[in-house]
Amino acid sequence: VGGWVFPTLDCLFQVVHISINLLFWLMIYDYYRRNEGMMTLKKEDIVKPVVLGIYAALSLALFIWFKVSHDFDPIFGDTQSSSGLVFLFFFCSLLFGAIVVWIIVIIMLAFPVVHKTPENAHRFYALTIPTIIVLISIVGSLFFGSFGPVRRNAPAFMYFFTLYNIYVWVLAFCFWPAKPNFSRASNPSEFSPIYKDEKPSDIFSGGAAEIDDDDL
């Protein structure tokens, strides 16, 4: 599709998507590291969205700059020869690498904390294993030059499209807000009473207290 609108939207959506992913990983693993029971925002948490906002703005400027330069001068090699574009590319790469290292460090710091709280361990591992796979895929695709809207090809698009969909389904299953999650301690039996002191047989056999007409 010709023009600048759809390529710009393509860059915008991809940058927003990866930035939200990185922010989510920073917040959720820092929550596990703190082990405070309920997620609460603190003053130092403002650093995370600020850093991700800077990364998103610079990455969006990089991708748009590249596409505009390529449209004006599509000769191979001339687009990448701009010193400003090269500097911005390496700065964004270094910033992205620093954010990935930041996430890995928080994961490593959260491991001993989660190990002491077995009720959170299953969900933590269910989150960490696919997250590591996604991070390895992103970093590997950067080395092969198939990540982002610059040199994206069909196999890379289908791979990440499938990967992110599976990732979302895994998180939805593991973090589904149901009481009998992974721990049997919170729900020792399927026959445990749910409605006050009623037994399951009373619910289905009509043994529960009947409602009189005068109570209506």
Side-chain angles (χ1 to χ4, degrees):
V1 179
W4 59 272
V5 177
F6 289 104
T8 303
L9 290 177
D10 181 37
C11 296
L12 175 64
F13 291 149
Q14 291 196 51
V15 168
V16 170
H17 178 260
I18 189 62
S19 299
I20 291 176
N21 269 345
L22 295 173
L23 181 61
F24 166 73
W25 291 329
L26 288 174
M27 297 298 293
I28 192 66
Y29 284 115
D30 203 31
Y31 160 75
Y32 278 111
R33 181 187 64 83
R34 295 174 181 175
N35 192 24
E36 296 178 346
M38 182 177 293
M39 180 177 291
T40 57
L41 297 178
K42 297 184 177 180
K43 292 182 179 179
E44 56 268 22
D45 291 330
I46 194 65
V47 177
K48 301 181 182 70
V50 168
V51 173
L52 267 301
I54 294 173
Y55 169 76
L58 294 177
S59 298
L60 183 61
L62 171 65
F63 292 142
I64 293 177
W65 189 355
F66 183 90
K67 284 187 173 294
V68 170
S69 300
H70 183 74
D71 290 339
F72 278 100
D73 191 5
I75 300 176
F76 180 79
D78 289 350
T79 303
Q80 296 89 345
S81 62
S82 174
S83 59
L85 187 61
V86 173
F87 173 80
L88 186 58
F89 171 77
F90 280 105
F91 185 79
C92 290
S93 300
L94 290 175
L95 186 57
F96 176 80
I99 295 173
V100 171
V101 172
W102 189 5
I103 295 172
I104 295 174
V105 170
I106 295 179
I107 293 175
M108 296 175 63
L109 293 176
F111 263 111
V113 178
V114 174
H115 185 70
K116 298 177 182 179
T117 55
E119 63 273 12
N120 294 329
H122 295 85
R123 285 181 172 177
F124 177 80
Y125 296 139
L127 169 67
T128 303
I129 293 175
T131 298
I132 292 176
I133 295 175
V134 173
L135 284 174
I136 293 175
S137 301
I138 294 175
V139 174
S141 63
L142 287 175
F143 282 103
F144 288 102
S146 58
F147 180 77
V150 177
R151 293 182 177 177
R152 183 181 57 190
N153 49 38
F157 174 81
M158 291 302 300
Y159 173 77
F160 280 103
F161 182 82
T162 305
L163 180 66
Y164 282 124
N165 275 276
I166 295 176
Y167 182 76
V168 170
W169 279 107
V170 170
L171 295 188
F173 174 78
C174 295
F175 286 87
W176 189 261
K179 186 176 181 181
N181 37 45
F182 293 99
S183 176
R184 294 184 179 179
S186 60
N187 189 28
S189 173
E190 294 181 356
F191 298 98
S192 300
I194 299 177
Y195 302 99
K196 297 182 180 179
D197 297 329
E198 295 175 346
K199 298 180 180 179
S201 58
D202 296 336
I203 299 174
F204 297 102
S205 62
E210 296 181 357
I211 300 175
D212 298 331
D213 295 336
D214 297 336
D215 297 334
L216 298 177

